[in-house]
Amino acid sequence: MRMYDLIKKKRDGDKLTAAEIEYFIQGYTSGKIPDYQASALCMAIWFRGMDAEETTALTLAIRDSGDTLHLAPTNGLRVDKHSTGGVGDKTSLVVIPIVAALGIKVAKMSGRGLGHTGGTIDKLEAFAGFRTDLTTAEFESTVERIGLSIVGQSANLAPADKLLYALRDVTATVDSLPLIASSIMGKKLAADDDCIVLDVKTGSGSFMKSVEDSVALARIMVDIGRRAGKRISALITDMDRPLGNTVGNTLEVVEAIETLRGNGPEDLTELCVALATKMLVLAEKGDEATCRENVLRVIASGEALQKLADMVEAQGGDRVWVTDPSRFPKAAHTHCVRAPRSGFITRVNAEEYGRAALLLGAGRNTKEDVIDHTAGLRLIAKTGDYVKEGDVMVELFASDPSLFASASVVLQNVTEIGDRAPASRPLIFDVID
């Protein structure tokens, strides 16, 4: 094969074979195919697209470009969830302990935050001493012993995806549905779980801004999972506003703990219950009504909260922090952003809310940046709420008070206040099975 021929074939709108796609991925990962040819093929795919068979072949080639996680046989199915990224999305900290409390194994690899979206690994490291760098043997042992573990993604898990994403990021080929779907699912399939629930975000705080685009992406990913022999479903969920009331690592961990206590924000609780229920249904633990009832039961009983404490302890943290969140360090300084006029909050830009938290030190612009776990923001008023002039809309937290000015300007500029209440927007738009 010649890379020239593959580029020309896709440029002309023809279908690539699985062998040709595997040749491309292996050659690019090994360094035999140069960036300029790989970028040419990505641009041809951007213009011409890929059908279901091509997209699946690309996904499997990405999966097989490095390590795959093959844990020793466990007592029962392993289930995972994946979010396409959002602002205030701390669902993994809630959902995984719930599912584990109901007897389903969860061996999850998660990432760090970059830009306006937060990362589960960064949140967990708010627990002093918590280890996210377990060896495969430690990871496997923890899952087998207590039923759950969350660790950082292996450096050699789907390395082709890391190379391709870096290339796409600088060649204007990120927003291609086949390339997005194969990127996400290549990593998910490398983890080799039996059942996968996808939380595909839509709105201003997500990568996919429209419901239609989010549904299209979800359908492709569900089809890939099905072709790979997985039980898979996707929920299309709202990210036109931050999820829950907090954005920032320690703040979100504490909110997740409160949700496991049954005291969480309504939207966060609703989504976590829906995701956990779907995971249990895929694992054949009952019909939807039965699974939902069991989810609510382990929250009410405290069993799910204890599972989170078990995981924290097993990975080097202090379980007492789960039962007594006052032990978490707090930001040295706070500041309030107030309503400039009376009226209803009609719209916010969730991505910009995430950027405001980043400006306070809660996120990173580059992978090398050090984050402030105590930094972030708490929403006192959300979309649809009525505020009076001077009311506090958002409370800010930072170690350096000089950071408040820029974050406040961002929040004031992207929070719209009007005389009429906005139309209600559902939290879950669709379910793709």
Side-chain angles (χ1 to χ4, degrees):
M1 295 182 191
R2 290 195 311 160
M3 191 61 190
Y4 174 91
D5 297 323
L6 272 63
I7 296 168
K8 183 176 183 297
K9 187 175 183 181
K10 179 49 67 177
R11 182 203 68 185
D12 295 342
D14 294 329
K15 178 176 178 176
L16 298 177
T17 68
E20 289 170 332
I21 291 169
E22 185 176 348
Y23 166 80
F24 161 58
I25 292 297
Q26 288 183 350
Y28 186 52
T29 305
S30 66
K32 295 178 181 178
I33 293 173
D35 277 350
Y36 59 84
Q37 286 188 314
S39 60
L41 182 60
C42 286
M43 187 61 75
I45 292 170
W46 192 94
F47 277 109
R48 292 294 192 172
M50 282 181 149
D51 68 12
E53 290 181 350
E54 287 177 293
T55 306
T56 300
L58 178 59
T59 303
L60 297 181
I62 290 172
R63 178 197 67 184
D64 296 336
S65 65
D67 296 337
T68 53
L69 183 64
H70 294 296
L71 297 183
T74 58
N75 182 22
L77 296 172
R78 285 193 293 113
V79 183
D80 195 9
K81 66 161 279 288
H82 173 79
S83 169
T84 56
V87 179
D89 184 0
K90 68 282 292 180
T91 54
S92 290
L93 304 181
V94 181
V95 170
I96 289 172
I98 291 172
V99 173
L102 288 162
I104 301 296
K105 306 284 187 183
V106 187
K108 182 167 180 58
M109 288 187 173
S110 292
R112 298 188 180 277
L114 186 63
H116 76 279
T117 61
T120 299
I121 294 301
D122 294 322
K123 295 177 178 63
L124 285 170
E125 287 178 345
F127 287 99
F130 190 96
R131 289 183 56 209
T132 60
D133 60 346
L134 302 185
T135 66
T136 300
E138 290 172 324
F139 187 33
E140 181 178 331
S141 172
T142 302
V143 173
E144 186 61 32
R145 182 163 49 88
I146 66 172
L148 74 165
S149 180
I150 304 176
V151 298
Q153 183 175 310
S154 164
N156 199 40
L157 193 79
D161 175 63
K162 299 179 182 69
L163 294 170
L164 279 175
Y165 190 87
L167 187 69
R168 289 162 53 213
D169 193 37
V170 294
T171 57
T173 53
V174 168
D175 54 341
S176 159
L177 287 180
L179 295 178
I180 296 169
S182 59
S183 171
I184 294 171
M185 292 302 296
K187 295 190 289 287
K188 284 293 101 181
L189 294 181
D192 199 33
D193 293 289
D194 302 292
C195 310
I196 304 169
V197 173
L198 302 170
D199 180 5
V200 182
K201 303 295 187 185
T202 188
S204 62
S206 68
F207 185 75
M208 310 303 288
K209 304 301 183 185
S210 74
V211 175
E212 294 76 17
D213 286 346
S214 299
V215 169
L217 174 61
R219 290 190 184 282
I220 293 172
M221 292 193 294
V222 168
D223 183 64
I224 291 170
R226 180 183 60 79
R227 289 170 180 267
K230 305 298 181 183
R231 303 177 191 176
I232 184 167
S233 292
L235 278 65
I236 313 300
T237 69
D238 185 38
M239 191 38 70
D240 218 32
R241 53 199 166 185
L243 182 62
N245 297 334
T246 59
V247 183
N249 298 285
T250 296
L251 294 168
E252 291 188 47
V253 170
V254 173
E255 187 168 81
I257 290 171
E258 288 303 310
T259 303
L260 285 170
R261 285 176 168 173
N263 303 320
E266 184 178 346
D267 58 346
L268 177 61
T269 300
E270 178 186 345
L271 181 54
C272 288
V273 169
L275 290 169
T277 298
K278 180 59 72 174
M279 291 170 77
L280 292 167
V281 170
L282 289 185
E284 298 182 336
K285 287 294 183 179
D287 60 23
E288 188 160 340
T290 300
C291 291
R292 179 181 173 83
E293 181 181 334
N294 286 331
V295 167
L296 296 174
R297 175 177 59 79
V298 295
I299 294 174
S301 69
E303 294 170 77
L305 184 67
Q306 289 307 306
K307 275 296 178 186
L308 176 62
D310 290 345
M311 183 180 74
V312 169
E313 183 176 53
Q315 295 186 221
D318 186 346
R319 67 182 298 123
V320 175
W321 288 32
V322 176
T323 53
D324 182 13
S326 67
R327 293 174 178 257
F328 283 98
K330 297 176 177 60
H333 302 278
T334 62
H335 177 77
C336 293
V337 177
R338 300 181 182 274
R341 54 160 290 193
S342 298
F344 293 94
I345 298 179
T346 57
R347 186 179 182 278
V348 302
N349 184 309
E351 181 175 348
E352 291 299 298
Y353 268 58
R355 191 166 75 88
L358 186 153
L359 291 172
L360 295 169
R364 51 173 74 85
N365 286 302
T366 71
K367 291 180 180 179
E368 291 73 30
D369 288 348
V370 176
I371 63 173
D372 176 1
H373 282 94
T374 67
L377 51 91
R378 176 178 289 116
L379 282 66
I380 307 301
K382 299 183 70 172
T383 303
D385 290 344
Y386 184 84
V387 292
K388 295 180 181 179
E389 182 179 349
D391 282 353
V392 177
M393 297 189 300
V394 187
E395 187 177 10
L396 310 184
F397 302 85
S399 297
D400 180 357
S402 69
L403 302 176
F404 289 138
S406 56
S408 297
V409 169
V410 169
L411 293 170
Q412 291 279 11
N413 288 341
V414 300
T415 304
E416 299 177 8
I417 298 177
D419 296 327
R420 295 184 179 180
S424 61
R425 181 178 168 98
L427 181 64
I428 301 173
F429 288 92
D430 203 352
V431 178
I432 311 297
D433 287 317

PDB file of all heavy atoms in Angstrom, residues 275-298:
ATOM      1  N   LEU A 275     -28.225   8.097  34.709  1.00  0.00           N
ATOM      2  CA  LEU A 275     -27.046   7.397  34.209  1.00  0.00           C
ATOM      3  C   LEU A 275     -26.836   6.072  34.940  1.00  0.00           C
ATOM      4  O   LEU A 275     -26.565   5.038  34.311  1.00  0.00           O
ATOM      5  CB  LEU A 275     -25.801   8.275  34.373  1.00  0.00           C
ATOM      6  CG  LEU A 275     -25.715   9.507  33.470  1.00  0.00           C
ATOM      7  CD1 LEU A 275     -24.586  10.427  33.927  1.00  0.00           C
ATOM      8  CD2 LEU A 275     -25.510   9.112  32.011  1.00  0.00           C
ATOM      9  N   ALA A 276     -26.965   6.091  36.262  1.00  0.00           N
ATOM     10  CA  ALA A 276     -26.786   4.857  37.038  1.00  0.00           C
ATOM     11  C   ALA A 276     -27.851   3.828  36.677  1.00  0.00           C
ATOM     12  O   ALA A 276     -27.557   2.633  36.548  1.00  0.00           O
ATOM     13  CB  ALA A 276     -26.826   5.175  38.531  1.00  0.00           C
ATOM     14  N   THR A 277     -29.078   4.294  36.491  1.00  0.00           N
ATOM     15  CA  THR A 277     -30.162   3.387  36.111  1.00  0.00           C
ATOM     16  C   THR A 277     -29.872   2.724  34.780  1.00  0.00           C
ATOM     17  O   THR A 277     -30.023   1.498  34.616  1.00  0.00           O
ATOM     18  CB  THR A 277     -31.498   4.155  36.038  1.00  0.00           C
ATOM     19  OG1 THR A 277     -31.804   4.685  37.333  1.00  0.00           O
ATOM     20  CG2 THR A 277     -32.639   3.259  35.568  1.00  0.00           C
ATOM     21  N   LYS A 278     -29.414   3.508  33.809  1.00  0.00           N
ATOM     22  CA  LYS A 278     -29.113   2.955  32.482  1.00  0.00           C
ATOM     23  C   LYS A 278     -27.959   1.958  32.563  1.00  0.00           C
ATOM     24  O   LYS A 278     -27.977   0.913  31.878  1.00  0.00           O
ATOM     25  CB  LYS A 278     -28.780   4.079  31.508  1.00  0.00           C
ATOM     26  CG  LYS A 278     -28.444   3.627  30.097  1.00  0.00           C
ATOM     27  CD  LYS A 278     -29.580   2.855  29.457  1.00  0.00           C
ATOM     28  CE  LYS A 278     -30.742   3.736  29.083  1.00  0.00           C
ATOM     29  NZ  LYS A 278     -31.778   2.969  28.320  1.00  0.00           N
ATOM     30  N   MET A 279     -26.955   2.226  33.381  1.00  0.00           N
ATOM     31  CA  MET A 279     -25.843   1.289  33.540  1.00  0.00           C
ATOM     32  C   MET A 279     -26.328  -0.043  34.099  1.00  0.00           C
ATOM     33  O   MET A 279     -25.914  -1.115  33.652  1.00  0.00           O
ATOM     34  CB  MET A 279     -24.776   1.900  34.449  1.00  0.00           C
ATOM     35  CG  MET A 279     -24.045   3.084  33.823  1.00  0.00           C
ATOM     36  SD  MET A 279     -22.989   4.004  34.984  1.00  0.00           S
ATOM     37  CE  MET A 279     -21.583   2.893  35.093  1.00  0.00           C
ATOM     38  N   LEU A 280     -27.232   0.004  35.058  1.00  0.00           N
ATOM     39  CA  LEU A 280     -27.771  -1.222  35.657  1.00  0.00           C
ATOM     40  C   LEU A 280     -28.646  -1.989  34.672  1.00  0.00           C
ATOM     41  O   LEU A 280     -28.628  -3.222  34.632  1.00  0.00           O
ATOM     42  CB  LEU A 280     -28.570  -0.873  36.914  1.00  0.00           C
ATOM     43  CG  LEU A 280     -27.726  -0.347  38.089  1.00  0.00           C
ATOM     44  CD1 LEU A 280     -28.627   0.253  39.155  1.00  0.00           C
ATOM     45  CD2 LEU A 280     -26.865  -1.445  38.675  1.00  0.00           C
ATOM     46  N   VAL A 281     -29.424  -1.266  33.871  1.00  0.00           N
ATOM     47  CA  VAL A 281     -30.267  -1.918  32.862  1.00  0.00           C
ATOM     48  C   VAL A 281     -29.394  -2.663  31.857  1.00  0.00           C
ATOM     49  O   VAL A 281     -29.670  -3.813  31.491  1.00  0.00           O
ATOM     50  CB  VAL A 281     -31.170  -0.886  32.152  1.00  0.00           C
ATOM     51  CG1 VAL A 281     -31.857  -1.510  30.940  1.00  0.00           C
ATOM     52  CG2 VAL A 281     -32.228  -0.339  33.116  1.00  0.00           C
ATOM     53  N   LEU A 282     -28.306  -2.019  31.396  1.00  0.00           N
ATOM     54  CA  LEU A 282     -27.404  -2.678  30.450  1.00  0.00           C
ATOM     55  C   LEU A 282     -26.768  -3.928  31.060  1.00  0.00           C
ATOM     56  O   LEU A 282     -26.504  -4.903  30.359  1.00  0.00           O
ATOM     57  CB  LEU A 282     -26.303  -1.717  30.002  1.00  0.00           C
ATOM     58  CG  LEU A 282     -26.691  -0.573  29.071  1.00  0.00           C
ATOM     59  CD1 LEU A 282     -25.449   0.194  28.643  1.00  0.00           C
ATOM     60  CD2 LEU A 282     -27.433  -1.067  27.842  1.00  0.00           C
ATOM     61  N   ALA A 283     -26.539  -3.884  32.369  1.00  0.00           N
ATOM     62  CA  ALA A 283     -25.952  -5.032  33.060  1.00  0.00           C
ATOM     63  C   ALA A 283     -26.996  -6.080  33.434  1.00  0.00           C
ATOM     64  O   ALA A 283     -26.670  -7.045  34.126  1.00  0.00           O
ATOM     65  CB  ALA A 283     -25.222  -4.560  34.310  1.00  0.00           C
ATOM     66  N   GLU A 284     -28.215  -5.868  32.960  1.00  0.00           N
ATOM     67  CA  GLU A 284     -29.320  -6.818  33.161  1.00  0.00           C
ATOM     68  C   GLU A 284     -29.624  -7.050  34.635  1.00  0.00           C
ATOM     69  O   GLU A 284     -29.848  -8.163  35.087  1.00  0.00           O
ATOM     70  CB  GLU A 284     -29.016  -8.146  32.451  1.00  0.00           C
ATOM     71  CG  GLU A 284     -28.869  -7.990  30.940  1.00  0.00           C
ATOM     72  CD  GLU A 284     -28.617  -9.301  30.221  1.00  0.00           C
ATOM     73  OE1 GLU A 284     -28.120 -10.252  30.855  1.00  0.00           O
ATOM     74  OE2 GLU A 284     -28.942  -9.382  29.018  1.00  0.00           O
ATOM     75  N   LYS A 285     -29.662  -5.949  35.390  1.00  0.00           N
ATOM     76  CA  LYS A 285     -30.018  -6.015  36.801  1.00  0.00           C
ATOM     77  C   LYS A 285     -31.507  -5.736  37.035  1.00  0.00           C
ATOM     78  O   LYS A 285     -31.927  -5.553  38.183  1.00  0.00           O
ATOM     79  CB  LYS A 285     -29.184  -5.007  37.593  1.00  0.00           C
ATOM     80  CG  LYS A 285     -27.726  -5.420  37.756  1.00  0.00           C
ATOM     81  CD  LYS A 285     -27.600  -6.677  38.611  1.00  0.00           C
ATOM     82  CE  LYS A 285     -26.165  -7.069  38.851  1.00  0.00           C
ATOM     83  NZ  LYS A 285     -26.047  -8.269  39.709  1.00  0.00           N
ATOM     84  N   GLY A 286     -32.275  -5.717  35.963  1.00  0.00           N
ATOM     85  CA  GLY A 286     -33.705  -5.498  36.090  1.00  0.00           C
ATOM     86  C   GLY A 286     -34.206  -4.517  35.063  1.00  0.00           C
ATOM     87  O   GLY A 286     -33.431  -3.973  34.266  1.00  0.00           O
ATOM     88  N   ASP A 287     -35.529  -4.295  35.058  1.00  0.00           N
ATOM     89  CA  ASP A 287     -36.078  -3.292  34.145  1.00  0.00           C
ATOM     90  C   ASP A 287     -35.782  -1.893  34.688  1.00  0.00           C
ATOM     91  O   ASP A 287     -35.232  -1.723  35.784  1.00  0.00           O
ATOM     92  CB  ASP A 287     -37.580  -3.506  33.934  1.00  0.00           C
ATOM     93  CG  ASP A 287     -38.383  -3.418  35.227  1.00  0.00           C
ATOM     94  OD1 ASP A 287     -37.909  -2.792  36.200  1.00  0.00           O
ATOM     95  OD2 ASP A 287     -39.496  -3.976  35.275  1.00  0.00           O
ATOM     96  N   GLU A 288     -36.143  -0.877  33.911  1.00  0.00           N
ATOM     97  CA  GLU A 288     -35.773   0.491  34.279  1.00  0.00           C
ATOM     98  C   GLU A 288     -36.365   0.903  35.621  1.00  0.00           C
ATOM     99  O   GLU A 288     -35.682   1.520  36.451  1.00  0.00           O
ATOM    100  CB  GLU A 288     -36.204   1.466  33.184  1.00  0.00           C
ATOM    101  CG  GLU A 288     -35.675   2.863  33.410  1.00  0.00           C
ATOM    102  CD  GLU A 288     -35.667   3.714  32.156  1.00  0.00           C
ATOM    103  OE1 GLU A 288     -35.703   3.147  31.052  1.00  0.00           O
ATOM    104  OE2 GLU A 288     -35.620   4.931  32.297  1.00  0.00           O
ATOM    105  N   ALA A 289     -37.609   0.563  35.875  1.00  0.00           N
ATOM    106  CA  ALA A 289     -38.254   0.950  37.130  1.00  0.00           C
ATOM    107  C   ALA A 289     -37.559   0.309  38.329  1.00  0.00           C
ATOM    108  O   ALA A 289     -37.304   0.965  39.353  1.00  0.00           O
ATOM    109  CB  ALA A 289     -39.733   0.575  37.107  1.00  0.00           C
ATOM    110  N   THR A 290     -37.239  -0.975  38.205  1.00  0.00           N
ATOM    111  CA  THR A 290     -36.566  -1.688  39.294  1.00  0.00           C
ATOM    112  C   THR A 290     -35.185  -1.118  39.550  1.00  0.00           C
ATOM    113  O   THR A 290     -34.778  -0.902  40.700  1.00  0.00           O
ATOM    114  CB  THR A 290     -36.458  -3.183  38.962  1.00  0.00           C
ATOM    115  OG1 THR A 290     -37.766  -3.725  38.783  1.00  0.00           O
ATOM    116  CG2 THR A 290     -35.744  -3.935  40.069  1.00  0.00           C
ATOM    117  N   CYS A 291     -34.445  -0.867  38.477  1.00  0.00           N
ATOM    118  CA  CYS A 291     -33.090  -0.338  38.618  1.00  0.00           C
ATOM    119  C   CYS A 291     -33.106   1.063  39.232  1.00  0.00           C
ATOM    120  O   CYS A 291     -32.287   1.383  40.104  1.00  0.00           O
ATOM    121  CB  CYS A 291     -32.386  -0.324  37.267  1.00  0.00           C
ATOM    122  SG  CYS A 291     -31.999  -1.992  36.638  1.00  0.00           S
ATOM    123  N   ARG A 292     -34.040   1.888  38.811  1.00  0.00           N
ATOM    124  CA  ARG A 292     -34.142   3.237  39.384  1.00  0.00           C
ATOM    125  C   ARG A 292     -34.461   3.153  40.875  1.00  0.00           C
ATOM    126  O   ARG A 292     -33.891   3.889  41.689  1.00  0.00           O
ATOM    127  CB  ARG A 292     -35.209   4.033  38.643  1.00  0.00           C
ATOM    128  CG  ARG A 292     -35.404   5.444  39.196  1.00  0.00           C
ATOM    129  CD  ARG A 292     -36.504   6.195  38.451  1.00  0.00           C
ATOM    130  NE  ARG A 292     -36.784   7.462  39.081  1.00  0.00           N
ATOM    131  CZ  ARG A 292     -36.100   8.575  38.893  1.00  0.00           C
ATOM    132  NH1 ARG A 292     -35.085   8.581  38.053  1.00  0.00           N
ATOM    133  NH2 ARG A 292     -36.421   9.689  39.520  1.00  0.00           N
ATOM    134  N   GLU A 293     -35.365   2.274  41.238  1.00  0.00           N
ATOM    135  CA  GLU A 293     -35.724   2.107  42.648  1.00  0.00           C
ATOM    136  C   GLU A 293     -34.507   1.695  43.473  1.00  0.00           C
ATOM    137  O   GLU A 293     -34.294   2.192  44.588  1.00  0.00           O
ATOM    138  CB  GLU A 293     -36.838   1.048  42.769  1.00  0.00           C
ATOM    139  CG  GLU A 293     -37.314   0.798  44.190  1.00  0.00           C
ATOM    140  CD  GLU A 293     -38.395  -0.259  44.238  1.00  0.00           C
ATOM    141  OE1 GLU A 293     -39.113  -0.436  43.224  1.00  0.00           O
ATOM    142  OE2 GLU A 293     -38.530  -0.912  45.295  1.00  0.00           O
ATOM    143  N   ASN A 294     -33.694   0.798  42.933  1.00  0.00           N
ATOM    144  CA  ASN A 294     -32.505   0.355  43.640  1.00  0.00           C
ATOM    145  C   ASN A 294     -31.460   1.465  43.759  1.00  0.00           C
ATOM    146  O   ASN A 294     -30.762   1.570  44.776  1.00  0.00           O
ATOM    147  CB  ASN A 294     -31.904  -0.863  42.947  1.00  0.00           C
ATOM    148  CG  ASN A 294     -32.710  -2.124  43.186  1.00  0.00           C
ATOM    149  OD1 ASN A 294     -33.366  -2.250  44.224  1.00  0.00           O
ATOM    150  ND2 ASN A 294     -32.692  -3.046  42.237  1.00  0.00           N
ATOM    151  N   VAL A 295     -31.343   2.291  42.713  1.00  0.00           N
ATOM    152  CA  VAL A 295     -30.429   3.439  42.766  1.00  0.00           C
ATOM    153  C   VAL A 295     -30.824   4.377  43.904  1.00  0.00           C
ATOM    154  O   VAL A 295     -29.984   4.788  44.727  1.00  0.00           O
ATOM    155  CB  VAL A 295     -30.432   4.196  41.422  1.00  0.00           C
ATOM    156  CG1 VAL A 295     -29.759   5.556  41.554  1.00  0.00           C
ATOM    157  CG2 VAL A 295     -29.740   3.374  40.344  1.00  0.00           C
ATOM    158  N   LEU A 296     -32.099   4.705  43.975  1.00  0.00           N
ATOM    159  CA  LEU A 296     -32.574   5.600  45.029  1.00  0.00           C
ATOM    160  C   LEU A 296     -32.391   4.968  46.413  1.00  0.00           C
ATOM    161  O   LEU A 296     -32.095   5.662  47.397  1.00  0.00           O
ATOM    162  CB  LEU A 296     -34.043   5.956  44.796  1.00  0.00           C
ATOM    163  CG  LEU A 296     -34.324   6.744  43.504  1.00  0.00           C
ATOM    164  CD1 LEU A 296     -35.822   6.916  43.292  1.00  0.00           C
ATOM    165  CD2 LEU A 296     -33.640   8.106  43.540  1.00  0.00           C
ATOM    166  N   ARG A 297     -32.521   3.667  46.476  1.00  0.00           N
ATOM    167  CA  ARG A 297     -32.391   2.963  47.763  1.00  0.00           C
ATOM    168  C   ARG A 297     -30.975   3.056  48.317  1.00  0.00           C
ATOM    169  O   ARG A 297     -30.784   3.333  49.506  1.00  0.00           O
ATOM    170  CB  ARG A 297     -32.794   1.490  47.591  1.00  0.00           C
ATOM    171  CG  ARG A 297     -32.581   0.636  48.846  1.00  0.00           C
ATOM    172  CD  ARG A 297     -33.068  -0.780  48.655  1.00  0.00           C
ATOM    173  NE  ARG A 297     -32.408  -1.469  47.547  1.00  0.00           N
ATOM    174  CZ  ARG A 297     -31.184  -1.996  47.626  1.00  0.00           C
ATOM    175  NH1 ARG A 297     -30.477  -1.894  48.752  1.00  0.00           N
ATOM    176  NH2 ARG A 297     -30.653  -2.621  46.585  1.00  0.00           N
ATOM    177  N   VAL A 298     -29.944   2.830  47.453  1.00  0.00           N
ATOM    178  CA  VAL A 298     -28.578   2.850  47.982  1.00  0.00           C
ATOM    179  C   VAL A 298     -28.096   4.267  48.272  1.00  0.00           C
ATOM    180  O   VAL A 298     -27.148   4.449  49.043  1.00  0.00           O
ATOM    181  CB  VAL A 298     -27.586   2.114  47.046  1.00  0.00           C
ATOM    182  CG1 VAL A 298     -27.924   0.639  46.974  1.00  0.00           C
ATOM    183  CG2 VAL A 298     -27.510   2.744  45.672  1.00  0.00           C
TER     184      VAL A 298
END
